[in-house]
Amino acid sequence: MDYGQLGRTGLQVSRLCLGTMNFGPVTSEDDSFAIMDRAHELGINFFDTANVYGWKKGEGITENIIGRWFAKGGGRRERTVIATKLYGDMGDWPNEGRLSALNIRRACDASLKRMQTDYIDLYQAHHVDRNTPFEEFWEAMDILKQQGKILYVGSSNFAGWHIAKAQESARRRNSLGLVSEQSHYNLIVRAAELEVIPACEDYGLGLIPWSPLAGGLLGGILRKIDKGRSASETIVRELEKHRDKIERYEAFCDELGEDPANVGLAWLLHQKAVTAPIIGPRTLEQLDGTVKALEIKLDEKALTRIDEIFPGFKTSPEEYAW
């Protein structure tokens, strides 16, 4: 396994991050335990979750599964850099969601209890809260740090200017500020290149791409359908929008002799600021298959071919101005 620093911090994390969103709704608890154990065997030490995962309001199903896995001992907690997120509503009463100081305190304590741990390595805002000033956000996060409940703070789904506002607010408090941004980024969705990635580079944030395979579109979807495997209506609609590009992409992956999913992950690992794409395996076989992405080295010629298929963006404002 390859490791890198999380942004400008001294924290070492695996170049692939284990996403746990399927744990509970799709993957059984026993299978989830097996996947997490196998991740450690493969050297993956970076796990990502969220208080809303499990998708039954207020139950924190996925965090509870992780907590019961930690409770099995054997160094499971000590060997894991656990990242979780808050923002989504965990109840129907006011202040049970978003980023007020009140919810930050309550949500953190609830996540700690569910995961049966006394600290969270990376505590992330799942979305920007336009109704909460960053001064309030940082005061609450700094208190959690002082209490030893969290070590680092990250963001998710922030625009470039949100990152700038957050960092300047933290700087006024002499606080470390954000160390990572979890953003929607893949070969099909490349808007982060306009301002989010430049902001991450300038402020020293590690980029953690979510949906690195565009919901399966970059995972060899055409060959899977050809073999008679079904696809959701959403995937079928998206495929029709991008069919020409997907056909060219899968043909290029055939030239490379590599699986399309692994090429998509490898491409991300070659991009600026990217620390670790989030992989979301539903089975052990899927997890084992993704590790091959770390071995794929894409030269300039290959990267240029991929850019021709899926054009990206220049940094703003050069993308739309002289």
Side-chain angles (χ1 to χ4, degrees):
M1 179 55 57
D2 295 333
Y3 299 89
Q5 309 299 117
L6 180 62
R8 67 193 184 285
T9 75
L11 183 66
Q12 288 192 315
V13 295
S14 50
R15 294 301 312 279
L16 294 176
C17 177
L18 180 69
T20 63
M21 190 169 66
N22 290 318
F23 294 178
V26 177
T27 305
S28 71
E29 182 160 324
D30 286 344
D31 288 345
S32 299
F33 284 6
I35 288 172
M36 289 187 281
D37 283 334
R38 180 62 176 151
H40 273 183
E41 291 174 10
L42 295 170
I44 297 174
N45 74 333
F46 192 20
F47 294 9
D48 176 75
T49 191
N51 59 358
V52 294
Y53 287 174
W55 312 115
K56 290 186 178 179
K57 187 180 287 187
E59 294 190 20
I61 291 171
T62 304
E63 284 189 335
N64 276 309
I65 290 173
I66 293 170
R68 288 189 287 270
W69 181 73
F70 282 155
K72 289 165 65 71
R76 287 175 171 83
R77 175 63 187 98
E78 293 76 13
R79 296 174 65 198
T80 303
V81 174
I82 189 67
T84 193
K85 301 183 284 290
L86 80 154
Y87 178 88
D89 290 336
M90 294 296 284
D92 297 320
W93 199 247
N95 302 309
E96 293 191 82
R98 295 183 173 265
L99 302 179
S100 68
L102 177 58
N103 187 53
I104 287 173
R105 173 178 175 171
R106 288 175 173 172
C108 181
D109 285 345
S111 286
L112 290 171
K113 184 177 180 180
R114 284 189 291 267
M115 293 194 292
Q116 301 189 48
T117 184
D118 57 2
Y119 71 99
I120 294 164
D121 298 279
L122 177 62
Y123 202 35
Q124 303 162 110
H126 210 160
H127 199 280
V128 66
D129 182 356
R130 295 177 175 85
N131 295 323
T132 300
F134 280 112
E135 290 80 5
E136 178 180 352
F137 173 81
W138 283 122
E139 182 174 29
M141 289 296 186
D142 286 346
I143 289 172
L144 293 180
K145 280 190 177 184
Q146 292 161 10
Q147 293 172 335
K149 294 180 179 180
I150 66 172
L151 300 182
Y152 300 96
V153 179
S155 59
S156 181
N157 303 306
F158 275 32
W161 70 277
H162 297 138
I163 292 171
K165 282 193 71 173
Q167 295 304 77
E168 294 307 317
S169 177
R171 180 175 293 171
R172 290 191 292 272
R173 298 176 58 85
N174 294 315
S175 175
L176 180 63
L178 300 172
V179 303
S180 63
E181 159 62 17
Q182 194 176 124
S183 188
H184 193 191
Y185 187 42
N186 55 55
L187 279 168
I188 293 175
V189 180
R190 296 182 61 169
E193 295 169 350
L194 288 164
E195 298 193 8
V196 172
I197 291 177
C200 287
E201 288 187 282
D202 193 69
Y203 283 106
L205 277 65
L207 187 70
I208 307 169
W210 61 265
S211 193
L213 301 180
L217 285 178
L218 299 170
I221 185 69
L222 293 177
R223 61 192 70 185
K224 291 176 182 177
I225 291 176
D226 287 343
K227 291 178 181 178
R229 294 167 71 173
S230 61
S232 69
E233 291 184 11
T234 301
I235 287 293
V236 171
R237 283 198 304 271
E238 288 300 307
L239 175 58
E240 291 312 306
K241 285 198 299 187
H242 303 286
R243 178 174 284 274
D244 177 62
K245 293 179 179 180
I246 297 297
E247 288 176 348
R248 292 164 59 198
Y249 173 67
E250 291 196 14
F252 178 59
C253 292
D254 287 339
E255 288 180 35
L256 295 176
E258 300 289 356
D259 183 82
N262 289 333
V263 174
L265 291 172
W267 178 83
L268 282 170
L269 291 167
H270 282 72
Q271 302 310 303
K272 295 177 181 178
V274 169
T275 294
I278 297 175
I279 57 173
R282 296 186 298 276
T283 65
L284 280 172
E285 291 74 21
Q286 288 180 347
L287 174 60
D288 287 339
T290 59
V291 179
K292 179 64 165 42
L294 296 167
E295 302 173 9
I296 299 175
K297 305 302 178 186
L298 300 172
D299 58 22
E300 287 302 317
K301 184 178 179 181
L303 291 170
T304 299
R305 282 282 301 277
I306 292 172
D307 280 339
E308 289 171 353
I309 299 170
F310 298 108
F313 296 93
K314 298 176 184 177
T315 299
S316 296
E318 286 81 3
E319 177 63 28
Y320 47 79
W322 58 271

